Amino acid sequence: MVAIEDYKVNPKQSIIDDLAIQIVYIPLVSKMGYVYKEIVQSGDYVTIGMPIGKNNISDIPLLSSVSGIVLGFEEKYLANGNPVKCLAIENDFKEKYQDKPGKIKDITKYSKEEFIYLLKKSAITGMSGSGFPTYIKYETDKPLKYLIVDGAECEIYASSDSARMYNNPEDILECIDAILEIMEMDKAYIAINEKNEVIIHKFLKYINSYPNIKIYPLEDGYPNGYERYLVNEILGLTYDKLPIEVGVINENVSTIYAIYEALKYHQPLTERIVTISGNGIEKPANYLLKIGTSFEEILKAKNLEKDIKKPLIIAGGAMMGTSIPSDELVVTADTNCILIMEDTNEKPTECIKCGKCSEVCPMNLIPSLIIDNPKDKDKLKIDKCINCGLCSYVCPSKIEVREIIKKIKEGKDD
């Protein structure tokens, strides 16, 4: 395992929220591959939370994150490295909402149907991975027992979840309690890195009011936050494809806060905290950003870049992130971290069959064998790969093992 806490922005550091970004770019394609058809046109006035696009696969609408005028279309990059068509909207900074947020005193009183409807309407998606629609997890007839809240944040450099936990522990606990009540679940566990003591103490201050919620300190290390590990480590359970098979729902802690805002204020998901860090950033920090904010504009507004020889932009984190060919990267709900690193990658040499990739693989795969036998990917259980990147990290031949296996999984190995 790789120790991670030494790379983080201190969660006590204030979240920067003073960026006045003039134009946001809302992608018409999601990381899940959902293609949205715009339902507004150039010159239209839009408000925060107003639907501006729809798709035929999920019930999640595409929402405007600002109030202002639709300018047209531009191509920007998603965090998976793909260039996509975006709706450009000029922010008028009036913060006008489609539906004016209110305040609900007791958020445990929603019915399951009302809860799921609100998740859809508020466009709540997972905020740490592929942007999976959150409502689908709860729209089930299977019995649910446990909620695991992932606050481990095991990706190196990323600290957006820690910033959220430090600033909103009471809100997060209130939301977890409401989900347990609404979905008639038994117990919840919040997984937090054991070295993140300041966060643990924040929660312990309030947790006695919530007897069905427990803090679970995790050993410091990467990749201790992946879903299968958490379910097995905390509950001793294993499953085939999804944790719902054993009555478990796993949520990222930032997603929990987004659900809280939807339940408490009917606030749509239109912004998130993003860690801007790496050895190419002058002052690493956490920023509260509108969805659709361009990384290029952040760099200009704050003059963040150091003068390094070969800057490399990475969306995600140093281990599981994706290198982006341009700073025209836009923030989406699942953009937890953006890095600028000095590119020190050496040219790969031939695999020496040392076996180190197999030794570190948390899923007990043999990455070198998969690379040599891409047609046998089913036999070699490639679908179990969690894309953690440890194989690439330890490879003495500097082979991008993770990227090769990712292409094999996607059928792009020819």
Side-chain angles (χ1 to χ4, degrees):
M1 288 188 300
V2 180
I4 59 174
E5 278 305 306
D6 292 342
Y7 294 86
K8 306 281 190 177
V9 175
N10 191 322
K12 293 182 179 180
Q13 184 176 315
S14 297
I15 299 167
I16 298 173
D17 62 356
D18 63 345
L19 283 177
I21 300 299
Q22 189 70 47
I23 300 174
V24 297
Y25 305 89
I26 310 296
L28 291 169
V29 181
S30 76
K31 281 175 67 177
M32 287 284 293
Y34 299 154
V35 179
Y36 288 86
K37 172 64 178 176
E38 68 277 6
I39 55 176
V40 293
Q41 56 187 356
S42 297
D44 284 354
Y45 186 81
V46 297
T47 50
I48 298 173
M50 177 178 170
I52 57 175
K54 61 181 180 179
N55 68 78
N56 296 323
I57 302 175
S58 79
D59 290 331
I60 294 287
L62 188 68
L63 305 181
S64 176
S65 61
V66 298
S67 57
I69 302 293
V70 177
L71 300 178
F73 303 102
E74 282 200 39
E75 189 172 87
K76 300 289 181 180
Y77 284 91
L78 283 181
N80 59 9
N82 293 335
V84 297
K85 182 181 178 182
C86 301
L87 268 175
I89 303 173
E90 185 173 15
N91 189 355
D92 66 5
F93 301 103
K94 294 181 179 179
E95 294 291 296
K96 292 184 178 180
Y97 279 82
Q98 171 78 359
D99 297 310
K100 188 175 181 180
K103 185 174 182 179
I104 308 300
K105 186 175 181 180
D106 186 353
I107 62 174
T108 68
K109 299 301 183 182
Y110 289 95
S111 67
K112 177 181 174 180
E113 292 72 24
E114 290 170 334
F115 174 57
I116 291 171
Y117 170 76
L118 200 53
L119 293 179
K120 294 177 182 179
K121 181 183 177 182
S122 304
I124 308 295
T125 57
M127 297 178 71
S128 66
S130 61
F132 186 77
T134 300
Y135 78 88
I136 294 175
K137 296 182 180 182
Y138 300 94
E139 200 173 49
T140 177
D141 293 328
K142 293 184 178 181
L144 299 174
K145 293 186 67 177
Y146 304 108
L147 174 64
I148 293 179
V149 178
D150 180 7
E153 198 166 41
C154 66
E155 178 60 87
I156 295 173
Y157 290 105
S159 58
S160 55
D161 287 345
S162 293
R164 179 56 74 199
M165 288 188 288
Y166 181 81
N167 284 278
N168 302 95
E170 292 177 274
D171 301 333
I172 291 166
L173 288 168
E174 184 180 353
C175 182
I176 294 170
D177 181 62
I179 294 173
L180 293 181
E181 185 74 22
I182 294 165
M183 298 302 299
E184 298 181 349
M185 300 170 77
D186 294 344
K187 189 166 289 189
Y189 297 88
I190 307 174
I192 304 175
N193 189 312
E194 64 182 3
K195 286 193 173 181
N196 211 342
E197 294 179 358
V198 65
I199 301 296
I200 292 175
H201 289 154
K202 277 271 189 177
F203 279 97
L204 290 177
K205 183 178 178 182
Y206 307 104
I207 205 165
N208 286 339
S209 299
Y210 302 95
N212 294 323
I213 306 175
K214 305 295 181 186
I215 300 298
Y216 194 96
L218 285 172
E219 181 183 358
D220 178 49
Y222 177 86
N224 276 0
Y226 76 90
E227 193 170 71
R228 287 183 184 273
Y229 175 82
L230 290 179
V231 173
N232 184 254
E233 171 70 14
I234 296 173
L235 299 171
L237 299 174
T238 59
Y239 55 89
D240 181 23
K241 294 181 179 180
L242 297 170
I244 198 172
E245 296 163 16
V246 289
V248 178
I249 285 181
N250 188 86
E251 294 285 15
N252 168 263
V253 71
S254 289
T255 309
I256 290 290
Y257 183 75
I259 295 173
Y260 167 78
E261 289 207 308
L263 294 177
K264 193 75 174 181
Y265 304 104
H266 290 187
Q267 175 79 32
L269 177 51
T270 56
E271 61 185 19
R272 67 152 299 137
I273 299 173
V274 181
T275 303
I276 308 295
S277 189
N279 57 25
I281 293 293
E282 193 69 46
K283 293 181 180 180
N286 286 303
Y287 289 80
L288 183 64
L289 302 175
K290 296 283 190 181
I291 289 174
T293 299
S294 168
F295 184 50
E296 177 186 25
E297 295 304 315
I298 302 169
L299 296 177
K300 287 180 182 177
K302 290 294 182 179
N303 193 26
L304 295 176
E305 283 187 88
K306 287 182 180 178
D307 185 16
I308 56 177
K309 292 182 180 178
K310 294 175 66 179
L312 179 67
I313 297 172
I314 301 173
M319 299 298 287
M320 294 185 72
T322 300
S323 61
I324 308 297
S326 166
D327 58 9
E328 293 185 358
L329 163 71
V330 292
V331 170
T332 52
D334 54 352
T335 309
N336 64 328
C337 179
I338 304 174
L339 308 176
I340 294 184
M341 305 291 293
E342 186 162 14
D343 188 356
T344 58
N345 287 344
E346 302 174 40
K347 289 186 177 181
T349 57
E350 189 175 346
C351 174
I352 61 174
K353 310 300 181 186
C354 65
K356 288 186 177 180
C357 56
S358 304
E359 292 173 5
V360 299
C361 179
M363 303 310 294
N364 298 315
L365 302 178
I366 307 175
S368 59
L369 194 60
I370 293 172
I371 291 174
D372 288 342
N373 302 276
K375 301 302 181 185
D376 294 334
K377 60 183 181 181
D378 293 335
K379 181 180 177 181
L380 296 172
K381 300 180 179 179
I382 190 174
D383 285 340
K384 287 190 174 182
C385 173
I386 61 171
N387 301 316
C388 68
L390 283 174
C391 47
S392 298
Y393 183 80
V394 301
C395 180
S397 298
K398 307 302 178 185
I399 298 170
E400 291 290 342
V401 183
R402 171 181 170 260
E403 291 302 313
I404 296 172
I405 290 179
K406 186 178 178 182
K407 288 180 180 179
I408 293 173
K409 285 175 71 176
E410 296 171 351
K412 301 175 181 177
D413 53 299
D414 295 331

